[in-house]
Amino acid sequence: MFALGTIINTGAVIAGGILGMILKKGIPEKSQHILMQACGIATIFIGISGVLKEMLVINSQTIETKGTFLLIFSLVLGGLAGSLLSIEDRLERLGDILKRKLHSEKDTQFVEGFVTSTLVICVGAMAIVGAIEDGLTGSCSTLTAKAILDFVIVLIFASTMGKGVVFSALPLFLYQGAITVLAALLGDFMDAALISDISFIGSALIFCVGVNIAFGKKFNTGNLLPALLVPIVYHFLPF
Protein backbone atom coordinates (compact mmCIF):
# COMPACT_ATOMS: atom_id res chain seq x y z
CA MET A 1 0.00 0.00 0.00
CA PHE A 2 1.36 3.43 -0.96
CA ALA A 3 2.34 5.66 2.02
CA LEU A 4 1.69 2.77 4.43
CA GLY A 5 4.31 4.13 6.83
CA THR A 6 2.53 7.46 7.18
CA ILE A 7 -0.81 5.69 7.63
CA ILE A 8 0.65 3.52 10.42
CA ASN A 9 2.29 6.56 12.04
CA THR A 10 -0.92 8.58 11.90
CA GLY A 11 -2.90 5.72 13.41
CA ALA A 12 -0.36 5.39 16.24
CA VAL A 13 -0.67 9.11 17.04
CA ILE A 14 -4.46 8.89 17.17
CA ALA A 15 -4.36 5.75 19.33
CA GLY A 16 -1.77 7.22 21.70
CA GLY A 17 -3.75 10.44 21.99
CA ILE A 18 -7.01 8.67 22.80
CA LEU A 19 -5.33 6.45 25.40
CA GLY A 20 -3.62 9.48 26.92
CA MET A 21 -6.98 11.28 27.23
CA ILE A 22 -8.40 8.25 29.03
CA LEU A 23 -5.44 8.16 31.42
CA LYS A 24 -5.64 11.93 32.01
CA LYS A 25 -8.73 11.47 34.15
CA GLY A 26 -6.80 9.38 36.66
CA ILE A 27 -3.66 11.54 36.92
CA PRO A 28 -3.61 14.20 39.68
CA GLU A 29 -2.89 17.75 38.53
CA LYS A 30 0.42 17.95 40.41
CA SER A 31 1.54 14.73 38.69
CA GLN A 32 0.53 16.16 35.30
CA HIS A 33 2.84 19.11 35.94
CA ILE A 34 5.87 16.95 36.71
CA LEU A 35 5.10 14.77 33.67
CA MET A 36 5.17 17.87 31.48
CA GLN A 37 8.53 18.89 32.92
CA ALA A 38 9.88 15.36 32.42
CA CYS A 39 8.73 15.37 28.79
CA GLY A 40 10.34 18.75 28.28
CA ILE A 41 13.68 17.71 29.75
CA ALA A 42 13.71 14.50 27.69
CA THR A 43 12.92 16.48 24.54
CA ILE A 44 15.69 18.99 25.32
CA PHE A 45 18.30 16.25 25.55
CA ILE A 46 17.04 14.55 22.40
CA GLY A 47 17.55 17.87 20.61
CA ILE A 48 20.97 18.48 22.15
CA SER A 49 22.19 14.99 21.29
CA GLY A 50 21.06 15.41 17.68
CA VAL A 51 22.86 18.75 17.33
CA LEU A 52 26.09 17.55 18.96
CA LYS A 53 26.08 14.39 16.86
CA GLU A 54 26.33 16.54 13.73
CA MET A 55 28.51 19.37 15.10
CA LEU A 56 31.23 17.58 17.05
CA VAL A 57 34.17 15.98 15.23
CA ILE A 58 36.33 14.02 17.62
CA ASN A 59 39.87 13.32 16.43
CA SER A 60 42.61 11.48 18.27
CA GLN A 61 43.81 14.61 20.05
CA THR A 62 41.25 17.34 19.47
CA ILE A 63 37.53 18.02 19.47
CA GLU A 64 36.39 20.26 16.63
CA THR A 65 33.05 21.60 15.49
CA LYS A 66 31.44 21.83 12.08
CA GLY A 67 28.22 23.24 10.70
CA THR A 68 28.28 26.39 12.83
CA PHE A 69 27.53 28.75 9.97
CA LEU A 70 24.83 26.46 8.58
CA LEU A 71 23.14 26.42 11.99
CA ILE A 72 23.33 30.21 12.36
CA PHE A 73 22.14 31.02 8.85
CA SER A 74 19.38 28.39 8.94
CA LEU A 75 17.92 29.68 12.20
CA VAL A 76 18.30 33.37 11.32
CA LEU A 77 16.95 33.15 7.78
CA GLY A 78 14.34 30.55 8.72
CA GLY A 79 13.19 32.59 11.69
CA LEU A 80 12.94 35.72 9.56
CA ALA A 81 10.88 33.93 6.91
CA GLY A 82 8.70 32.23 9.51
CA SER A 83 7.97 35.48 11.33
CA LEU A 84 7.04 37.21 8.07
CA LEU A 85 4.75 34.30 7.20
CA SER A 86 3.40 34.14 10.81
CA ILE A 87 3.62 30.34 10.78
CA GLU A 88 3.17 30.00 14.55
CA ASP A 89 0.07 32.20 14.47
CA ARG A 90 -1.32 30.13 11.58
CA LEU A 91 -0.77 26.91 13.52
CA GLU A 92 -2.51 28.41 16.53
CA ARG A 93 -5.39 29.64 14.37
CA LEU A 94 -5.77 26.14 12.94
CA GLY A 95 -5.89 24.85 16.52
CA ASP A 96 -8.54 27.46 17.35
CA ILE A 97 -10.63 26.42 14.34
CA LEU A 98 -10.49 22.77 15.40
CA LYS A 99 -11.30 23.80 18.96
CA ARG A 100 -14.44 25.67 17.84
CA LYS A 101 -15.52 22.88 15.49
CA LEU A 102 -15.34 20.44 18.40
CA HIS A 103 -17.12 22.85 20.78
CA SER A 104 -14.15 22.70 23.15
CA GLU A 105 -13.95 26.40 23.98
CA LYS A 106 -13.45 25.62 27.68
CA ASP A 107 -10.38 23.48 26.97
CA THR A 108 -7.61 26.00 27.71
CA GLN A 109 -4.84 23.60 26.67
CA PHE A 110 -6.31 22.51 23.33
CA VAL A 111 -4.26 24.85 21.11
CA GLU A 112 -1.08 24.38 23.16
CA GLY A 113 -1.43 20.60 22.96
CA PHE A 114 -2.08 20.69 19.22
CA VAL A 115 0.86 22.99 18.37
CA THR A 116 3.35 21.36 20.75
CA SER A 117 2.58 17.81 19.66
CA THR A 118 2.62 18.78 15.98
CA LEU A 119 6.08 20.29 16.28
CA VAL A 120 7.53 17.36 18.22
CA ILE A 121 6.30 14.58 15.93
CA CYS A 122 6.86 16.42 12.63
CA VAL A 123 10.29 17.98 13.25
CA GLY A 124 12.97 15.33 13.19
CA ALA A 125 15.10 13.06 11.09
CA MET A 126 12.88 9.99 11.20
CA ALA A 127 9.90 11.86 9.72
CA ILE A 128 11.93 12.99 6.71
CA VAL A 129 14.05 9.89 6.15
CA GLY A 130 11.15 7.51 6.75
CA ALA A 131 8.82 9.36 4.40
CA ILE A 132 11.47 9.40 1.65
CA GLU A 133 12.12 5.66 2.07
CA ASP A 134 8.39 5.01 1.89
CA GLY A 135 8.11 6.90 -1.39
CA LEU A 136 11.26 5.51 -3.01
CA THR A 137 11.23 1.86 -1.95
CA GLY A 138 7.87 1.26 -0.30
CA SER A 139 9.66 0.36 2.94
CA CYS A 140 7.81 1.55 6.04
CA SER A 141 10.26 0.19 8.64
CA THR A 142 11.57 3.63 9.72
CA LEU A 143 8.11 5.16 10.02
CA THR A 144 6.87 2.08 11.87
CA ALA A 145 9.65 2.54 14.44
CA LYS A 146 8.76 6.24 14.59
CA ALA A 147 5.11 5.30 15.09
CA ILE A 148 6.01 3.40 18.26
CA LEU A 149 7.97 6.37 19.61
CA ASP A 150 5.23 8.83 18.66
CA PHE A 151 2.62 6.62 20.33
CA VAL A 152 4.44 6.95 23.66
CA ILE A 153 5.17 10.68 23.23
CA VAL A 154 1.59 11.53 22.25
CA LEU A 155 0.17 9.36 25.04
CA ILE A 156 2.11 11.36 27.62
CA PHE A 157 1.28 14.70 25.99
CA ALA A 158 -2.43 13.86 25.78
CA SER A 159 -2.44 12.77 29.42
CA THR A 160 -1.33 16.27 30.39
CA MET A 161 -2.64 18.56 27.61
CA GLY A 162 -5.81 16.80 26.51
CA LYS A 163 -7.58 16.25 23.20
CA GLY A 164 -5.77 18.91 21.16
CA VAL A 165 -2.82 16.53 21.00
CA VAL A 166 -4.84 13.94 19.07
CA PHE A 167 -5.37 16.34 16.18
CA SER A 168 -1.63 16.65 15.56
CA ALA A 169 -2.24 13.50 13.51
CA LEU A 170 -3.66 15.73 10.73
CA PRO A 171 -0.56 17.86 9.99
CA LEU A 172 1.60 14.76 10.48
CA PHE A 173 -0.36 12.91 7.79
CA LEU A 174 -0.17 15.85 5.38
CA TYR A 175 3.53 16.57 6.05
CA GLN A 176 4.90 13.03 5.80
CA GLY A 177 2.46 12.14 3.04
CA ALA A 178 3.65 15.11 0.95
CA ILE A 179 7.30 14.08 1.35
CA THR A 180 6.43 10.51 0.34
CA VAL A 181 4.61 11.70 -2.77
CA LEU A 182 7.51 14.00 -3.74
CA ALA A 183 10.01 11.17 -3.25
CA ALA A 184 7.92 8.87 -5.46
CA LEU A 185 7.58 11.53 -8.18
CA LEU A 186 11.07 13.03 -8.15
CA GLY A 187 13.16 10.02 -7.23
CA ASP A 188 16.14 10.12 -4.90
CA PHE A 189 16.38 13.90 -4.66
CA MET A 190 18.05 13.94 -1.22
CA ASP A 191 21.45 12.43 -0.58
CA ALA A 192 22.81 11.39 2.81
CA ALA A 193 24.64 14.69 3.36
CA LEU A 194 21.50 16.77 2.80
CA ILE A 195 19.38 14.57 5.05
CA SER A 196 22.09 14.86 7.74
CA ASP A 197 22.03 18.67 7.50
CA ILE A 198 18.23 18.82 7.71
CA SER A 199 18.30 16.48 10.72
CA PHE A 200 20.93 18.74 12.32
CA ILE A 201 18.70 21.81 12.05
CA GLY A 202 15.65 19.77 13.07
CA SER A 203 17.40 18.73 16.28
CA ALA A 204 17.96 22.40 17.13
CA LEU A 205 14.22 23.01 16.71
CA ILE A 206 13.44 19.98 18.89
CA PHE A 207 15.59 21.57 21.62
CA CYS A 208 13.46 24.74 21.37
CA VAL A 209 10.27 22.68 21.68
CA GLY A 210 11.68 20.95 24.76
CA VAL A 211 12.45 24.28 26.45
CA ASN A 212 8.88 25.43 25.79
CA ILE A 213 7.45 22.23 27.27
CA ALA A 214 9.61 22.30 30.39
CA PHE A 215 9.73 26.02 31.17
CA GLY A 216 6.77 27.62 29.40
CA LYS A 217 6.83 29.23 25.98
CA LYS A 218 10.22 30.84 25.38
CA PHE A 219 10.59 30.31 21.62
CA ASN A 220 8.17 30.74 18.71
CA THR A 221 9.35 27.42 17.31
CA GLY A 222 6.69 27.35 14.60
CA ASN A 223 8.24 30.47 13.09
CA LEU A 224 11.58 28.66 12.91
CA LEU A 225 10.22 25.83 10.73
CA PRO A 226 11.49 27.40 7.44
CA ALA A 227 14.99 26.83 8.84
CA LEU A 228 14.56 23.23 7.65
CA LEU A 229 14.51 24.50 4.05
CA VAL A 230 17.76 26.46 4.27
CA PRO A 231 20.02 23.35 4.05
CA ILE A 232 18.19 22.33 0.87
CA VAL A 233 18.87 25.72 -0.76
CA TYR A 234 22.45 25.67 0.52
CA HIS A 235 23.01 22.14 -0.78
CA PHE A 236 21.99 23.00 -4.33
CA LEU A 237 23.88 26.30 -4.62
CA PRO A 238 26.49 26.11 -7.41
CA PHE A 239 29.48 26.76 -5.18
Side-chain angles (χ1 to χ4, degrees):
M1 180 186 296
F2 183 72
L4 179 60
T6 292
I7 294 171
I8 292 172
N9 200 172
T10 303
V13 169
I14 294 172
I18 292 172
L19 182 57
M21 287 169 56
I22 294 171
L23 293 176
K24 180 180 175 69
K25 298 176 181 179
I27 300 177
E29 187 172 339
K30 61 180 180 181
S31 297
Q32 292 180 22
H33 180 67
I34 195 64
L35 279 175
M36 280 291 292
Q37 290 182 323
C39 286
I41 292 170
T43 305
I44 286 171
F45 279 99
I46 290 170
I48 290 173
S49 64
V51 170
L52 294 181
K53 177 184 175 183
E54 299 298 332
M55 286 194 74
L56 292 183
V57 179
I58 302 176
N59 298 316
S60 57
Q61 296 180 331
T62 61
I63 298 177
E64 301 174 355
T65 60
K66 64 176 183 178
T68 304
F69 288 110
L70 177 61
L71 178 64
I72 294 171
F73 284 123
S74 294
L75 294 179
V76 170
L77 295 177
L80 178 61
S83 63
L84 293 174
L85 293 170
S86 300
I87 294 177
E88 182 110 355
D89 290 339
R90 293 175 190 274
L91 272 175
E92 291 179 354
R93 283 201 293 270
L94 177 57
D96 279 326
I97 291 171
L98 291 170
K99 183 177 177 179
R100 290 195 300 271
K101 292 287 186 182
L102 295 166
H103 305 291
S104 301
E105 286 81 1
K106 294 182 180 179
D107 187 349
T108 57
Q109 289 187 300
F110 187 99
V111 175
E112 179 188 359
F114 170 74
V115 173
T116 300
S117 183
T118 295
L119 292 173
V120 170
I121 64 178
C122 288
V123 177
M126 293 183 78
I128 298 168
V129 175
I132 291 173
E133 285 180 355
D134 203 356
L136 290 177
T137 67
S139 171
C140 61
S141 57
T142 299
L143 287 185
T144 300
K146 179 177 180 291
I148 297 171
L149 295 173
D150 285 352
F151 174 85
V152 177
I153 291 169
V154 170
L155 187 155
I156 297 172
F157 281 177
S159 70
T160 55
M161 291 184 281
K163 69 174 71 172
V165 173
V166 180
F167 291 90
S168 62
L170 176 60
L172 173 74
F173 179 79
L174 295 175
Y175 173 69
Q176 288 184 178
I179 294 174
T180 297
V181 170
L182 285 174
L185 292 176
L186 301 179
D188 192 0
F189 64 100
M190 286 189 179
D191 60 23
L194 176 55
I195 292 173
S196 176
D197 285 344
I198 295 173
S199 301
F200 169 37
I201 304 304
S203 294
L205 301 191
I206 289 173
F207 169 82
C208 295
V209 174
V211 170
N212 287 349
I213 295 170
F215 305 109
K217 189 171 182 178
K218 306 295 182 183
F219 302 108
N220 291 324
T221 313
N223 286 344
L224 290 170
L225 287 176
L228 295 170
L229 300 177
V230 175
I232 299 175
V233 176
Y234 175 81
H235 189 77
F236 288 106
L237 287 176
F239 54 79

